[in-house]
Amino acid sequence: MKAPANFIVSPRWLVSVVPKRAPLENYSLVVQSGKISDVLPAPEAEQKYQGLPKYELKDHLLIPGLINMHGHAAMTLLRGYADDLPLMQWLQEEIWPAETRWVDAQFVRDGTSLAISEMLLSGTTTFSDQYFFPGSTAEAAIEAGMRCQIASPVLEFPSNWAKDAKDYLQKGLDLRDEFRPHSLIEIASGPHAPYTVSDNTLSEIAKYSNELQSNIQVHLHESAQEIEDSIKEFGKRPIQRLYDLGLLGPNTQCVHMTQLIADDMDLLEKTNTSVVHCPSSNLKLANGFCPVKELTDRGINVCIGTDGAASNNSLDLLAEIRMASLLAKGHSGDPTILDAVSSLECATINAARALGMEDQLGSLEVGKQADMVAIKLDSPESTPIYNPISQLIYSANSSNFSHSWIQGKLVMEDRKLTNLHLPSITKRARHWAERIRGASND
Ligand SMILES: [Zn+2]
């Protein structure tokens, strides 16, 4: 059927996340003009909305679309390019030189389309990104009909995209103006990390973001070396430095946060700053553990990101949620931490809160945007079902996500992406890899 504007979805189970954490069985959800207009028992919907087109999803669980809070989408083109190295060596000897040689607007466009395909097929409807040529990222997202926060990168050193901090800042402001009309795109500021951005520039970012009420996303406390170097150079821990420069607050998202002492957590708590946990990337680069139990015990908002495909190497957020849940239990010695529902909250309502979009995203509530995904739970690994949320988090495979809507528009139907031509996207990615591989064999 041609995707209708107003329709009903009748899944076997529905988890709204808010207000109800428990699954609803045999409920229907009604979408009108891109928003959720009703959630009610299926027989009542049958009566009340006669004639509306209906998606009957008899073996499916419907949940809010997953929100991947941190990544570098275009780096899918460097997936598997360099593995098994410490963070600084990986960056300085492998990633940064490869980026200098290859990254341009087309690289970003092609790599982002590949990333978006992977994310849509695994249940993600919103992603946050931080990479060069962010205009190309935004264009790829718009083409796919995907929602995106773009943290426009800021560094002190030149890249193929900008020449110095001032240039990065100006380009970020221009980007804001350019994509203002697009409701799927939110432009934020992305100071790369405390060790690549000066005090002056960080203060500028704090000032702009405060004036524009825009979000900030920064890599922070990613490795032990970052803390050591900061104490040597500035006489304080990185998070203290950001706090002193006015960078922390409810609009700020700190990514990684593996090296935390009580004083650091006091600052997060006091300023209502969000943490983006990227467990696979932290494990792969052997950077340490984000203390999720201590953070959540303090009421600090924790969400989840995959990080880029060069350091994960997968953008499967469902797998990342499972990793976060298991790791939190193993690391804290407390199996009750990040139970299935709380884990799902991290990737839905907590992420919406971090984005400042809690009133629009992150749950299947009346009045919110119809960003939602359905997963089919009839395969062997999902059978039998006592609790569909347990099944989703602990055993389901993300290749069973079947349908996805963003702003009420169908972007995946029976695993077919409606706006993208996947064979051409994978073909372009393979072509890039041939060029990159060919050059490194010279
Ligand atoms: Zn990152």
Side-chain angles (χ1 to χ4, degrees), residues 76-217:
T76 47
L77 296 184
L78 296 174
R79 191 196 319 261
Y81 174 78
D83 297 304
D84 312 318
L85 294 170
L87 175 65
M88 288 324 287
Q89 190 186 349
W90 177 74
L91 282 176
Q92 288 166 353
E93 294 176 18
E94 302 289 345
I95 295 303
W96 288 342
E99 287 181 333
T100 305
R101 170 126 196 210
W102 297 108
V103 172
D104 60 15
Q106 195 58 47
F107 177 101
V108 173
R109 182 65 200 253
D110 291 344
T112 304
S113 292
L114 180 65
I116 286 175
S117 307
E118 184 183 355
M119 288 191 275
L120 285 175
L121 286 164
S122 51
T124 296
T125 54
T126 298
F127 69 107
S128 178
D129 206 70
Q130 186 179 125
Y131 209 60
F132 311 109
F133 299 94
S136 297
T137 311
E139 284 164 15
I142 291 166
E143 183 193 21
M146 195 166 190
R147 200 184 290 282
C148 178
Q149 167 186 264
I150 295 187
S152 190
V154 184
L155 298 106
E156 295 300 329
F157 54 82
S159 65
N160 299 348
W161 183 58
K163 58 180 193 293
D164 54 24
K166 204 166 156 254
D167 195 21
Y168 283 100
L169 287 174
Q170 187 55 49
K171 288 192 156 115
L173 292 172
D174 294 347
L175 202 68
R176 238 184 123 69
D177 293 337
E178 188 183 345
F179 289 97
R180 200 183 304 277
H182 293 278
S183 57
L184 290 172
I185 307 293
E186 193 63 40
I187 305 294
S189 186
H192 170 261
Y195 55 91
T196 47
V197 188
S198 71
D199 279 4
N200 260 347
T201 308
L202 289 170
S203 302
E204 283 282 286
I205 292 171
K207 198 180 81 191
Y208 282 142
S209 300
N210 197 23
E211 277 168 18
L212 301 166
Q213 277 304 298
S214 59
N215 296 333
I216 298 173
Q217 184 170 98

Side-chain angles (χ1 to χ4, degrees), residues 85 105 109 150 169-170 243 250 258 278 281 290 360 372 380:
L85 294 170
R109 182 65 200 253
I150 295 187
L169 287 174
Q170 187 55 49
Y243 175 76
T258 68
C278 301
S281 173
C290 175
Q360 295 182 60
M372 54 200 189

